[in-house]
Amino acid sequence: MSQQHSAAPAPAIATVARRRDWWRDAVIYQVYPRSFADSNGDGMGDLEGVRARLPYLRDLGVDAVWLSPFYASPQADAGYDVADYRAVDPMFGNLLDADALIRDAHALGLRIIVDLVPNHSSDQHEWFKRALAEGPGSPSRDRYHFRPGKGENGELPPNDWESIFGGPAWTRVADGEWYLHLFAPEQPDFNWEHPAVGDEFRSILRFWLDMGVDGFRIDVAHGLVKAEGLPDIGDADQLKLLGNDVMPFFDQDGVHEVYRQWRHVLDEYAGERIFVAEAWTPTVERTAHYVRPDELHQAFNFQYLSTAWDAKELRTVIDRTLEAMRPVGAPATWVLSNHDVTRHATRFANPPGLGTQIRTAGDRDLGLRRARAATLLMLALPGSAYVYQGEELGLPDVVDLPDEVRQDPAYFRGAGQDGFRDGCRVPIPWTREGSSYGFGDGGSWLPQPASWGELSVEAQTGVAGSTLELYRAALSARRAQPDLGAGDAVEWLRAPEGVLAFRRGEFVCVANTGGESVTVPAYGRVLLASGELTEADGEAKVPADTTVWWTTA
């Protein structure tokens, strides 16, 4: 047990406004703590740094803050390998810092959502260390997936499953048994068939709910339950099947009983606390299973995140998403970037895939122009939206990090994911100058480009047309417009090829994804535009890669 446990502070008393069903239209800002703000000059962001910047997030106009993991961890996978779920890692602070952050956020009208990692622990978790020490056949091993190997001497893995980070999903220990890890070897998977695992996580939920958090983002929410018998997959490219097919280790129907039990726990607490699922599923229809009325509240829309900047493809995924969520009464969610994918300012510079190479200044300008347009489109859609730290500054991925500074475990395994997640995790800039552009006084754990200063909060604040001011204006208008936010439908309007146009009551959005300007009706008073447009004689000329908001009121 961590020494921090005995110093747990009293529960936070939330003064945040209690708006019913707030989560149905919330804009939720993801903070990656190690890269947000460093309060003590050690080059690593921390909870006190986040706390000091909360007024910035309030003024930006978001409703809630989602914190990526800050728990005690050896940091083999940037904190997604948790050694103690009830302790704060010293690199980020302590439980008193977490308590102060939650209280300050509530006083500013912000809600706090914390990451929960229930699929796997760290190999330094007390349970796993005990399982190794007690050996084969011990009750402690039943809390994980330990198996004898195949082959004459057990020298082969128990099945053919592959790690998401590349290589076998099994590691052999000194006594000859193998344990399952769908991610890095330092992240052994829990066995959710064991009742102690469920008991432990319901206790963890209550610990943080008593601290005052407003909800949980559930990491690998689709992965907890494995198919009975852990069957082989066969001769298939498993990595290409991920997110495209039901796998024996992902999206198993048994996972839903876990979340029904969790929902009972959450409903014990006042204030509309919520669950958000990171659930990579083959279809939005299967994603909807996670947000049935007695399970979770939201699930990330990865189909939308993975869609190219193309009007036809976007309309298809928007329609399918709204249709899938409608029967279960859950809000759609929309997201363009996070800590695991190439930032959309870079992704859209190199269509149609998810490439990371920006070749010219023209590519950078194209990516940013499309990113701004995509943001206004996303914020106009019915439901809840997620913003990843730094996207409001138009930050691109940092694609030229030296090999020696990289920390993504997928990079070192040489297969699986592309291993370049470090590029979207570079600490964000706050000021034009300084050793880390205002991130902290002691540099930054990943090097920042020389261009970071001109993309900083300081450089963009108050500058008409800057990406930061566009986000501030969009979030303000979204809050002020009665027809934006929650809902489950859009009314599509006739539009030229390559253009999305829809109405929501007295609000109209037009997004030109094509490479040429188009002429559309001037639908009313312009609220906001991601680029320059001209209006004359009842018509509007919308430039390429531009989104416009109108009100007909």
Side-chain angles (χ1 to χ4, degrees):
M1 178 177 290
S2 166
Q3 293 180 351
Q4 293 189 53
H5 294 171
S6 61
I13 301 174
T15 57
V16 65
R18 293 302 177 190
R19 179 167 59 87
R20 182 168 175 78
D21 290 348
W22 66 271
W23 45 276
R24 290 189 173 276
D25 62 357
V27 176
I28 299 173
Y29 186 99
Q30 181 189 358
V31 165
Y32 194 66
R34 62 172 53 208
S35 299
F36 192 66
D38 171 19
S39 70
N40 60 9
D42 66 356
M44 186 70 65
D46 47 48
L47 294 184
E48 185 59 31
V50 177
R51 181 186 175 199
R53 297 293 186 178
L54 288 174
Y56 165 79
L57 298 179
R58 175 202 58 195
D59 295 344
L60 182 63
V62 301
D63 300 289
V65 178
W66 153 34
L67 297 167
S68 291
F70 51 81
Y71 310 112
S73 166
Q75 304 296 320
D77 185 22
Y80 283 94
D81 51 316
V82 180
D84 189 339
Y85 290 85
R86 297 177 181 84
V88 174
D89 194 283
M91 72 190 303
F92 297 124
N94 55 43
L95 281 175
L96 292 174
D97 295 322
D99 177 68
L101 192 161
I102 294 166
R103 291 175 183 272
D104 281 9
H106 288 166
L108 291 169
L110 296 167
R111 291 173 170 84
I112 294 292
I113 296 169
V114 296
D115 232 310
L116 189 65
V117 188
N119 179 70
H120 49 262
S121 73
S122 165
D123 62 353
Q124 299 303 304
H125 190 285
E126 285 300 321
W127 280 12
F128 192 75
K129 291 195 291 185
R130 192 183 314 159
L132 290 181
E134 293 180 359
S138 65
S140 294
R141 289 213 170 178
D142 290 340
R143 295 175 178 178
Y144 295 89
H145 293 280
F146 279 89
R147 296 288 188 276
K150 292 181 178 179
E152 184 176 351
N153 299 304
E155 71 276 10
L156 300 176
N159 68 19
D160 64 0
W161 294 1
E162 296 176 5
S163 164
I164 308 305
F165 291 160
W170 296 88
T171 289
R172 198 177 193 187
V173 300
D175 56 44
E177 283 201 327
W178 298 72
Y179 68 89
L180 176 68
H181 54 86
L182 291 179
F183 294 87
E186 297 87 352
Q187 295 168 291
D189 279 43
F190 284 116
N191 174 17
W192 273 86
E193 300 298 325
H194 196 295
V197 177
D199 290 345
E200 172 68 355
F201 273 90
R202 287 190 293 274
S203 174
I204 292 166
L205 290 175
R206 289 189 174 94
F207 178 87
W208 289 103
L209 289 166
D210 289 342
M211 285 276 288
V213 303
D214 299 282
F216 301 88
R217 177 265 190 185
I218 306 168
D219 184 63
V220 196
H222 54 300
L224 278 56
V225 174
K226 278 65 174 177
E228 185 176 359
L230 310 184
D232 284 340
I233 294 175
D235 187 15
D237 188 336
Q238 295 182 32
L239 295 173
K240 288 185 178 178
L241 291 177
L242 292 176
N244 297 306
D245 202 355
V246 177
M247 308 287 279
F249 48 74
F250 279 164
D251 199 27
Q252 295 292 305
D253 290 339
V255 78
H256 299 289
E257 181 55 33
V258 174
Y259 298 135
R260 292 186 188 100
Q261 294 177 17
W262 285 17
R263 183 61 177 265
H264 288 305
V265 173
L266 203 70
D267 288 346
E268 295 172 8
Y269 291 80
E272 291 199 287
R273 322 291 180 99
I274 69 166
F275 287 123
V276 182
E278 183 207 29
W280 288 87
T281 66
T283 64
V284 290
E285 289 79 12
R286 286 198 67 87
T287 300
H289 293 170
Y290 290 80
V291 289
R292 289 175 286 204
D294 60 345
E295 293 189 44
L296 310 179
H297 297 77
Q298 294 183 353
F300 289 134
N301 189 344
F302 292 115
Q303 284 79 13
Y304 185 78
L305 183 150
S306 302
T307 301
W309 180 239
D310 176 88
K312 184 177 181 181
E313 293 182 30
L314 286 164
R315 177 166 175 172
T316 296
V317 74
I318 290 168
D319 281 341
R320 286 192 64 182
T321 297
L322 295 175
E323 289 168 7
M325 296 298 131
R326 199 172 295 125
V328 296
T333 65
W334 314 101
V335 60
L336 292 167
S337 288
N338 64 35
H339 65 291
D340 278 335
V341 301
T342 303
R343 287 184 178 273
H344 59 285
T346 294
R347 200 167 69 238
F348 290 153
N350 190 25
L354 303 181
T356 60
Q357 299 305 310
I358 295 183
R359 295 175 295 277
T360 67
D363 287 340
R364 286 192 293 272
D365 292 344
L366 174 64
L368 179 58
R369 189 164 65 248
R370 288 175 169 170
R372 289 162 55 94
T375 295
L376 289 195
L377 172 61
M378 174 183 77
L379 293 175
L381 294 170
S384 179
Y386 283 77
V387 173
Y388 177 49
Q389 65 175 48
E391 72 173 74
E392 77 276 16
L393 305 177
L395 296 186
D397 259 41
V398 180
V399 299
D400 55 355
L401 289 169
D403 292 353
E404 60 269 20
V405 305
R406 294 189 179 277
Q407 300 193 27
D408 184 353
Y411 178 80
F412 297 101
R413 287 175 69 83
Q417 295 182 354
D418 62 18
F420 289 93
R421 295 181 299 172
D422 292 317
C424 65
R425 300 175 177 183
V426 173
I428 67 173
W430 295 92
T431 59
R432 278 194 171 94
E433 299 179 349
S435 66
S436 62
Y437 303 105
F439 169 68
D441 294 335
S444 61
W445 67 281
L446 284 174
Q448 300 155 302
S451 60
W452 237 224
E454 291 309 307
L455 296 176
S456 67
V457 173
E458 180 185 38
Q460 296 194 44
T461 294
V463 177
S466 72
T467 300
L468 176 57
E469 294 301 340
L470 176 70
Y471 269 75
R472 286 172 170 163
L475 293 176
S476 176
R478 190 178 192 271
R479 192 183 295 267
Q481 289 296 311
D483 293 313
L484 286 180
D488 64 3
V490 299
E491 176 192 350
W492 293 108
L493 305 174
R494 293 186 62 182
E497 185 176 356
V499 175
L500 290 171
F502 60 85
R503 182 189 304 275
R504 298 184 63 197
E506 295 178 333
F507 171 85
V508 174
C509 176
V510 172
N512 179 11
T513 71
E516 303 291 338
S517 297
V518 296
T519 299
V520 300
Y523 287 99
R525 177 172 58 89
V526 174
L527 289 172
L528 202 57
S530 66
E532 296 291 333
L533 75 153
T534 56
E535 292 186 282
D537 301 324
E539 293 184 329
K541 189 174 183 180
V542 180
D545 301 311
T546 299
T547 298
V548 186
W549 288 2
W550 280 280
T551 178
T552 61

